Amino acid sequence: NTMQSKSYSSRGMRLENDINDSNKYYRELDKALIYKKPTPVQVVHVDYPKRQRAKITEAYYKTPSTTDYNGVYRGKYIDFEAKETKNKTSFPLFMIHPHQIKHLKKVVFHGGIGFFIIRFNYHNETYLVDSKMLIDKIENIDKSSIPYTWFQNHGTLIQEGLYPRLAYLKVVDELYFKEDK
Amino acid sequence: NTMQSKSYSSRGMRLENDINDSNKYYRELDKALIYKKPTPVQVVHVDYPKRQRAKITEAYYKTPSTTDYNGVYRGKYIDFEAKETKNKTSFPLFMIHPHQIKHLKKVVFHGGIGFFIIRFNYHNETYLVDSKMLIDKIENIDKSSIPYTWFQNHGTLIQEGLYPRLAYLKVVDELYFKEDK
Ligand SMILES: [Mg+2]
Ligand SMILES: [Mg+2]
């Protein structure tokens, strides 16, 4: 009936770890200031044992109202959602939640830069897709998934390496700061 | 030895509630997209009861590495920390943590807008102070607090009302977007 949280948190978290490592690298080099937002938790009960730190003994995960990551890069507000799938030929749309679409539309409305980072584990490829482009596709498709080939054509492959694990800011430079070069 | 989390979370949270309400108002009017970051929690154990949602049964508060709030307004990245004190004549500096100072310096370095919202509960007044101005003061004072009068002279009083509770974006307009008017 119960299981350890460890298996929970490691489930499909490889992409998140890669992005967190990349953000740490970017922060240490003063390239950008981007963080993963903490998962919101509804705390119901806390114990305060003497001479020990407060222990939360009852809490529940809350549905986040926004996306995974935000921060500032080259003076611009950056906001994105990361998803990975084991699917070979398509990306299932149930993975993108309505509140994430709504939030990214607002990001763009307010002049921020919004995108998705989508990893196809089977192909070992990670794409950056502009939020407006993917949302338009989602809102105009009558299927429950988007073909892998669509990401090849409309996304930009993110270069993987050691430092950073995912050089996604290179793609951000190309897509959103082209005129400045 | 133990106490309910309710008394914990309501302790000194009036300012936070006012800012959260104001941000909700600003979001609903599409004026800005600013959220409180969730408090980071280190989850150690989760129960998965059948037909019920996951229950966190052991977790601990983590020290946040950043500030309370961030988001986007008029195309700019916004980041701030909120503090309230019951002190009458001064603001105690221990309330501002080194990681908050470090983070706000980086925000400004990357071209974002950073500030503090400081409430003096005794005077029923809430000030917005530019992050660089307050950090310079903190780093050049040899006392453990900053006089209340300094905030009167170097901060901007935030107008309080019903909608929004705290019209802090008016002050942001004055301080950071003056040329655009
Ligand atoms: Mg995600
Ligand atoms: Mg605070």
Side-chain angles (χ1 to χ4, degrees):
Chain A
N1 238 13
T2 69
M3 57 191 276
Q4 291 296 325
S5 64
K6 195 149 191 191
S7 50
Y8 173 87
S9 61
S10 60
R11 191 203 298 160
M13 286 300 180
R14 267 197 337 120
L15 174 59
E16 216 166 272
N17 287 339
D18 284 354
I19 296 174
N20 292 346
D21 285 354
S22 306
N23 285 340
K24 192 162 176 266
Y25 170 88
Y26 285 138
R27 285 197 305 269
E28 280 165 5
L29 263 67
D30 278 332
K31 266 270 301 147
L33 191 64
I34 298 168
Y35 280 94
K36 168 103 170 64
K37 295 173 211 166
T39 307
V41 158
Q42 175 73 46
V43 174
V44 176
H45 192 273
V46 187
D47 276 356
Y48 295 88
K50 269 183 193 157
R51 280 181 290 277
Q52 282 172 54
R53 62 182 177 151
K55 180 180 175 181
I56 297 164
T57 56
E58 186 181 352
Y60 301 92
Y61 289 108
K62 284 199 287 184
T63 308
S65 36
T66 65
T67 45
D68 289 332
Y69 295 90
N70 76 353
V72 57
Y73 175 55
R74 295 176 67 173
K76 297 288 275 181
Y77 175 78
I78 301 283
D79 195 301
F80 63 97
E81 178 63 35
K83 300 285 183 197
E84 59 188 322
T85 178
K86 286 174 182 136
N87 278 28
K88 200 166 144 179
T89 56
S90 68
F91 176 80
L93 291 187
F94 75 84
M95 293 188 73
I96 294 177
H97 306 297
H99 69 262
Q100 291 161 348
I101 292 178
K102 198 179 158 195
H103 179 76
L104 282 166
K105 280 184 177 176
K106 279 173 179 264
V107 165
V108 173
F109 173 83
H110 288 290
I113 291 172
F115 53 86
F116 292 88
I117 292 183
I118 308 280
R119 173 173 284 176
F120 288 91
N121 284 309
Y122 178 86
H123 301 282
N124 224 337
E125 286 176 351
T126 309
Y127 292 91
L128 191 151
V129 193
D130 175 63
S131 61
K132 192 187 175 322
M133 191 175 288
L134 184 52
I135 290 168
D136 282 352
K137 180 70 182 170
I138 291 170
E139 292 180 338
N140 292 294
I141 199 170
D142 50 5
K143 293 205 260 174
S144 60
S145 67
I146 296 175
Y148 163 64
T149 50
W150 185 89
F151 290 90
Q152 291 184 299
N153 294 327
H154 294 86
T156 306
L157 194 64
I158 299 172
Q159 190 191 305
E160 307 202 15
L162 212 51
Y163 302 108
R165 283 288 302 120
L166 284 170
Y168 76 88
L169 287 183
K170 268 194 194 175
V171 180
V172 171
D173 284 338
E174 283 166 34
L175 289 185
Y176 303 104
F177 292 94
K178 207 139 197 180
E179 308 103 72
D180 303 5
K181 276 185 184 167
Chain B
N1 238 13
T2 69
M3 57 189 277
Q4 293 295 324
S5 63
K6 195 148 190 191
S7 51
Y8 174 86
S9 62
S10 61
R11 191 202 299 159
M13 286 301 180
R14 267 200 335 123
L15 174 61
E16 216 165 272
N17 287 340
D18 284 353
I19 296 174
N20 293 345
D21 285 353
S22 306
N23 285 340
K24 192 161 178 266
Y25 170 88
Y26 285 138
R27 286 197 304 270
E28 279 165 4
L29 261 67
D30 278 333
K31 250 288 297 137
L33 191 63
I34 298 167
Y35 280 93
K36 168 101 172 63
K37 295 174 211 166
T39 307
V41 157
Q42 175 73 46
V43 174
V44 177
H45 193 274
V46 186
D47 277 355
Y48 294 87
K50 271 183 191 154
R51 280 182 289 277
Q52 281 173 55
R53 62 180 178 153
K55 180 180 174 180
I56 298 164
T57 57
E58 186 182 353
Y60 301 91
Y61 289 109
K62 285 199 287 186
T63 308
S65 36
T66 65
T67 45
D68 289 333
Y69 295 90
N70 76 354
V72 56
Y73 175 55
R74 296 177 66 174
K76 297 289 274 181
Y77 176 78
I78 300 283
D79 196 302
F80 63 97
E81 178 62 35
K83 299 284 183 199
E84 59 188 322
T85 179
K86 285 176 182 135
N87 278 26
K88 200 166 142 180
T89 56
S90 69
F91 176 80
L93 290 187
F94 75 85
M95 294 188 75
I96 295 178
H97 307 296
H99 69 263
Q100 291 161 348
I101 291 177
K102 198 178 158 195
H103 178 76
L104 282 166
K105 279 182 177 178
K106 280 173 178 263
V107 164
V108 174
F109 173 84
H110 288 290
I113 291 172
F115 52 86
F116 292 88
I117 292 183
I118 306 281
R119 173 173 286 175
F120 288 90
N121 284 308
Y122 177 87
H123 299 282
N124 224 336
E125 286 177 349
T126 309
Y127 291 91
L128 192 151
V129 192
D130 175 64
S131 60
K132 191 185 174 322
M133 191 175 288
L134 184 53
I135 290 168
D136 281 352
K137 181 68 183 171
I138 291 170
E139 292 180 339
N140 292 296
I141 199 170
D142 51 4
K143 293 205 260 174
S144 61
S145 67
I146 297 176
Y148 163 64
T149 50
W150 185 89
F151 291 89
Q152 290 184 299
N153 294 329
H154 295 85
T156 306
L157 193 64
I158 299 173
Q159 190 191 303
E160 306 203 16
L162 212 52
Y163 302 108
R165 282 289 300 124
L166 283 170
Y168 75 89
L169 288 182
K170 267 195 195 176
V171 180
V172 171
D173 284 339
E174 281 166 37
L175 289 186
Y176 303 103
F177 292 93
K178 207 139 196 181
E179 309 102 73
D180 304 6
K181 275 187 185 169

